[in-house]
Amino acid sequence: MLRSRIPQKLCRRQPMSHPVPAARLYAPLPPRFTASLPIRLPTQPCRLLSTSPQCFRKAPLESAPPPPPSSDQQTTAIPPQKPRPTPGSERPPWRRRGVLYAAAFLMLGTILGSVFRVTVSPPDLAEPGSAEDRALLGIIRRKAEALPLVRELSEDPAWDSWDAYSVLPDADAGAGAEGEGQQRRRDQRLTSGALAGSRGLAYQRVFRRADTGECATVVYFGGGTAGWPGLVHGGALATVLDESLGRCAILRFPARTGVTARLELAYRAPTRAESFYVVRARPVESDVGGKKKSDADRKLWVEGSVETLDGSRVLVDARALFVVPKGVKLAPLAVGF
């Protein structure tokens, strides 16, 4: 009934004069509006409807990922091609390589085995006084005379030189310096008797400077002086140092005799056998000048060392005190012992 009262013209749906497209209702805002309207989100809890500016911070702008390369820019990677081996550069076959390895290991084993055998079980040494020993002594002496240090000291007139124990005090004066008495006295000494020959102290040449009292002895340590295979025994080194330092002190005493009261040694490095070395000895001048004349004539400190021939390495350091004993008469030693 109500519908009948309303005019039909009013019940009809009138078209809109300015229709709005549906796509425009969902269109995003232009970039210029979004850039000028930053969105701030709360980064920490805050009260509702709070106006504090600390509750809002600028959100970091996320950088857009780079666009994928277009199909035109994409290139196909070509794998590198292996060079073809030439006929001359090909590896030898396994059979040839095995033969080479076997030969190399055989040679290495032979060398190491020979060195080990000679070191652990060296050949027999020549007996002192034999023909072989005399031949070896001649070879060692010729090598010693060709050493630069021996030539330099021999040509210097400030240095006197002689072979160790070439002259010894002998009760048989009529036998002469090279008679049977001298040889008997040499055989009774340790360094010229038990350690004689090519296997012991085969060469001992003494050089002495008269103005300073310094002594330098060129010594050859043979294979018989070794303790550990190939290395000189510490006792042999101590014996040579004791006699070399004692020679330096006794030649300064008016009595021309003396004994060892104290001997201090410091072994710095191993000393190889069958090699030449120089034993240096020098009196300590501070002790000589600070004592009375009577004390200086019967007490003297001497310092020495065992060094390589070029002096680049010290193997043993030594310091000793020598005295002339009271109440005991000892035979004086002449120059040449």
Side-chain angles (χ1 to χ4, degrees):
M1 182 182 293
L2 182 60
R3 182 178 180 86
S4 60
R5 293 180 182 180
I6 299 174
Q8 294 293 332
K9 183 173 58 175
L10 297 177
C11 293
R12 294 178 182 177
R13 182 178 297 178
Q14 298 294 331
M16 297 180 64
S17 60
H18 299 285
V20 179
R24 184 175 297 180
L25 295 177
Y26 302 98
L29 295 176
R32 55 192 181 90
F33 290 102
T34 58
S36 61
L37 298 176
I39 300 175
R40 296 185 179 181
L41 298 176
T43 57
Q44 58 184 358
C46 57
R47 294 180 300 173
L48 187 63
L49 302 179
S50 174
T51 58
S52 175
Q54 298 181 357
C55 296
F56 300 92
R57 294 181 181 177
K58 291 185 179 181
L61 299 178
E62 298 182 358
S63 59
S70 59
S71 59
D72 298 338
Q73 297 179 355
Q74 293 181 354
T75 57
T76 304
I78 301 176
Q81 298 181 358
K82 297 182 179 180
R84 296 181 179 180
T86 58
S89 62
E90 294 181 356
R91 293 184 177 180
W94 287 104
R95 182 176 301 177
R96 185 183 304 175
R97 187 180 303 175
V99 172
L100 294 178
Y101 286 162
F105 281 109
L106 178 61
M107 184 179 299
L108 180 61
T110 303
I111 295 174
L112 294 179
S114 301
V115 173
F116 181 78
R117 180 180 60 82
V118 173
T119 303
V120 176
S121 180
D124 295 337
L125 301 175
E127 291 292 333
S130 62
E132 182 183 0
D133 181 68
R134 290 192 295 269
L136 292 175
L137 286 175
I139 295 174
I140 294 173
R141 176 169 288 276
R142 286 192 295 270
K143 289 183 178 180
E145 293 175 353
L147 295 175
L149 178 62
V150 175
R151 287 185 175 182
E152 179 183 355
L153 296 179
S154 300
E155 296 174 358
D156 192 347
W159 292 83
D160 300 328
S161 63
W162 64 89
D163 289 335
Y165 311 110
S166 58
V167 178
L168 292 174
D170 188 10
D172 301 333
E178 296 296 335
E180 297 179 358
Q182 289 287 322
Q183 185 61 38
R184 184 172 63 253
R185 294 297 299 272
R186 293 193 193 96
D187 295 341
Q188 294 174 356
R189 301 182 66 87
L190 175 61
T191 54
S192 59
L195 295 178
S198 60
R199 64 182 184 181
L201 301 176
Y203 182 82
Q204 293 187 80
R205 187 70 178 178
V206 182
F207 298 90
R208 182 176 183 269
R209 193 181 181 97
D211 54 351
T212 61
E214 180 183 359
C215 294
T217 307
V218 179
V219 184
Y220 178 87
F221 291 95
T225 61
W228 187 261
L231 300 179
V232 181
H233 194 280
L237 292 170
T239 301
V240 173
L241 280 168
D242 183 24
E243 294 204 357
S244 299
L245 272 62
R247 181 183 293 110
C248 177
I250 290 173
L251 292 177
R252 291 182 67 94
F253 291 151
R256 286 293 189 270
T257 187
V259 294
T260 307
R262 185 182 181 88
L263 179 62
E264 302 173 359
L265 299 176
Y267 296 93
R268 304 296 183 186
T271 305
R272 296 186 178 275
E274 298 183 351
S275 300
F276 289 95
Y277 297 95
V278 56
V279 182
R280 299 188 180 275
R282 52 195 174 276
V284 181
E285 297 296 339
S286 59
D287 294 344
V288 175
K291 294 183 178 181
K292 297 180 181 180
K293 180 65 176 176
S294 59
D295 294 340
D297 290 344
R298 57 178 304 271
K299 290 183 180 181
L300 181 64
W301 280 95
V302 182
E303 294 180 349
S305 60
V306 178
E307 305 175 2
T308 55
L309 293 177
D310 56 358
S312 60
R313 192 175 188 184
V314 177
L315 305 175
V316 186
D317 281 329
R319 191 169 186 266
L321 173 63
F322 296 91
V323 299
V324 178
K326 293 182 179 180
V328 179
K329 188 176 181 180
L330 299 176
L333 298 175
V335 176
F337 75 97

